[in-house]
Amino acid sequence: MPMIRNGLRTRPKGTRPTPAGTAAPAIDADLLRTLATLISDSDLAEMEIEKGDLRIKLVRHTATSHAPAPQVTTPMLVAAAMPAAAAAAPAIPAAEHPGAVKSPMVGTVYRRASPEAKAFVEVGSTVKAGDKILLVEAMKTFNEIVAPRAGTISAVLVDDGQPVEYGQPLLVIE
Amino acid sequence: MLHPVARSLGYRLHHHASLGSTNEEALALGRAGDPGRLWVVADRQTAGRGRVGRAWASPPGNHYATLLLVEPCQPRLAPQLGFVAGVALATALERLAGAGHGIAIKWPNDILCDGAKLAGILVEGGSVPQGGGAAAFSAVLGFGVNCASHPTDLSYPATHLGLIAGAAGTRDALFAALSATIVDALDLWDRGRNFAGLRRAWLDHALPPGVSLAVVRQGARHVGTFRSVDDDGRLILETGSGCVTVEAGDVFLADRDTAAAS
């Protein structure tokens, strides 16, 4: 499932997203607004709510200053409700780079060993194969991400403390 | 001493009088090509650590041991190892403490006794580049257990095994028990093929549903009622506005002092 930054996706539990052109499920706009306010007022990175057979998952890009904007998987509703969120989701060209290092798991990415430490790497850092470049935490399991090859960091695609999806590009080594 | 069952399965033990961190040593040995099933034990640590680089007080008499596993599962399943470790440690502690012990796992893998922190687990995954962009996945399971003493300067209550299990609650007795229970927990989990079964075992050892928990994440605090963990092991917390699933953060008992450590 793709990550939706600053996003909110809703769909009935156990179903696939509604294909374009079919009837969209009824979405309570007040509910969405309430949830968006709730997560923006909190420091939660992710929130999942079930009500009847409706399941709503909010995932926040915690390190940015944008307020989380609802986005719904149903194309009609995306267009009608949240053009801003749709505009925020273009693919990052660097992510397609063959030197992109991808997340081995769903979790939270850290660029440093502790809040006071300096980042493992910055854009321009030279690394050799096996150097620690990031950490991904999932349920208190901390996973070192090491450079698969020697090179120079040409792009860092994540912020400290950001939630990441499985396979999401994290940075680029050239 | 390793339990005979562990020894018969090829588990090994490196014992040190003093190390910076047993997890660091085990990760380094993994990078250097150790085949795994290796326990690294230290009498004391000079740089013991917990979540996000926090210090873990490590005076002599307590238990500092890390198990190195090489390719225990696919890397994306690594977070499940924390639950394997939690089940193994809770089982070992319960055996030493006997009936009516009050020992329970607090999500994801701290061990409490009657609400006071008895043990912490730090699981870390590492990878060893194999050339051509490929990498072998290794994981270390670090177990810090207060056996002979506990710190008194924390923002939450703590305890130690000697107070709970008496003379049976020594570091050596705990390590022997744990070196066997981790074998059982890894077998049950079956390299991730039976996380469902491991999850049930975890719930059997966890704080009961209905306990109030506070989740602290990046300085903000959220209180809710513990319900369960989902199929991926995430905490399910019921709040005034619905059920919330939590994947990271510091979790405290809400009726205790919950000063944020982060």
Side-chain angles (χ1 to χ4, degrees):
Chain A
M1 189 181 292
M3 158 127 179
I4 300 171
R5 285 190 189 160
N6 294 329
L8 178 154
R9 51 185 178 239
T10 67
R11 68 177 146 96
K13 195 179 169 186
T15 67
R16 311 299 304 166
T18 310
T22 62
I27 301 290
D28 180 341
D30 285 342
L31 175 65
L32 294 187
R33 266 191 291 274
T34 305
L35 295 177
T37 307
L38 208 70
I39 200 166
S40 71
D41 287 350
S42 77
D43 237 357
L44 287 174
E46 188 173 325
M47 184 183 274
E48 207 164 320
I49 287 168
E50 287 188 47
K51 191 178 177 187
D53 61 354
L54 182 71
R55 183 171 176 172
I56 300 177
K57 179 176 184 177
L58 294 94
V59 180
R60 178 150 66 150
H61 185 300
T62 49
T64 69
S65 55
H66 305 301
Q71 183 177 4
V72 177
T73 47
T74 310
M76 280 168 61
L77 288 175
V78 171
M82 277 301 146
I92 303 156
E96 307 302 322
H97 194 281
V101 176
K102 296 178 177 175
S103 179
M105 66 195 66
V106 177
T108 301
V109 69
Y110 295 101
R111 295 192 53 203
R112 55 202 82 235
S114 67
E116 303 79 34
K118 68 180 178 60
F120 298 119
V121 292
E122 303 283 359
V123 170
S125 300
T126 307
V127 295
K128 55 185 190 306
D131 282 357
K132 193 188 287 192
I133 50 179
L134 292 168
L135 282 176
V136 176
E137 177 191 18
M139 288 172 282
K140 225 173 115 176
T141 297
F142 286 81
N143 297 279
E144 293 179 350
I145 309 301
V146 301
R149 70 187 73 79
T152 303
I153 306 295
S154 64
V156 176
L157 308 173
V158 289
D159 294 314
D160 216 13
Q162 175 185 326
V164 291
E165 293 288 317
Y166 174 74
Q168 182 175 337
L170 303 173
L171 47 68
V172 179
I173 302 176
E174 294 194 59
Chain B
M1 286 276 285
L2 281 167
H3 192 280
V5 167
R7 209 178 310 125
S8 72
L9 290 168
Y11 283 79
R12 294 163 297 129
L13 169 61
H14 284 187
H15 180 220
H16 299 262
S18 179
L19 277 178
S21 147
T22 55
N23 268 28
E24 279 300 332
E25 171 75 3
L27 280 168
L29 289 166
R31 280 192 292 269
D34 189 280
R37 290 196 169 186
L38 173 68
W39 279 100
V40 175
V41 175
D43 294 339
R44 59 190 282 267
Q45 298 184 109
T46 55
R49 54 196 172 78
R51 190 170 170 269
V52 285
R54 277 179 212 143
W56 180 272
S58 304
N62 290 342
H63 179 279
Y64 317 108
T66 296
L67 176 62
L68 168 68
L69 297 170
V70 174
E71 309 240 287
C73 58
Q74 297 170 44
R76 67 181 177 82
L77 300 182
Q80 298 181 0
L81 282 165
F83 294 83
V84 175
V87 168
L89 182 55
T91 306
L93 288 166
E94 288 165 6
R95 277 185 197 168
L96 296 179
H101 46 67
I103 290 169
I105 309 173
K106 175 175 66 68
W107 186 93
N109 49 24
D110 284 337
I111 310 282
L112 307 182
C113 185
D114 294 326
K117 184 153 170 171
L118 174 60
I121 293 170
L122 181 63
V123 177
E124 296 180 279
S127 61
V128 186
Q130 308 282 290
F137 169 66
S138 66
V140 297
L141 282 52
F143 299 88
V145 185
N146 300 326
C147 290
S149 65
H150 66 265
T152 54
D153 56 350
L154 303 175
S155 60
Y156 46 83
T159 186
H160 64 270
L161 188 57
L163 294 178
I164 301 157
T170 64
R171 178 199 75 164
D172 291 353
L174 173 64
F175 179 70
L178 176 63
S179 68
T181 57
I182 192 75
V183 171
D184 295 339
L186 285 165
D187 279 353
L188 173 64
W189 176 58
D190 193 16
R191 298 174 64 85
R193 285 184 285 262
N194 186 33
F195 183 67
L198 194 274
R199 173 182 170 275
R200 284 193 295 275
W202 187 92
L203 287 169
D204 286 344
H205 292 282
L207 288 170
V211 169
S212 287
L213 294 179
V215 178
V216 175
R217 182 160 168 79
Q218 294 174 344
R221 181 168 177 269
H222 310 275
V223 179
T225 304
F226 171 62
R227 284 294 167 224
S228 188
V229 294
D230 72 9
D231 293 343
D232 296 319
R234 293 179 302 172
L235 175 70
I236 302 174
L237 205 61
E238 185 178 314
T239 68
S241 50
C243 276
V244 172
T245 59
V246 178
E247 168 209 290
D250 291 312
V251 181
F252 300 88
L253 293 177
D255 57 350
R256 303 275 178 167
D257 182 358
T258 56
S262 53

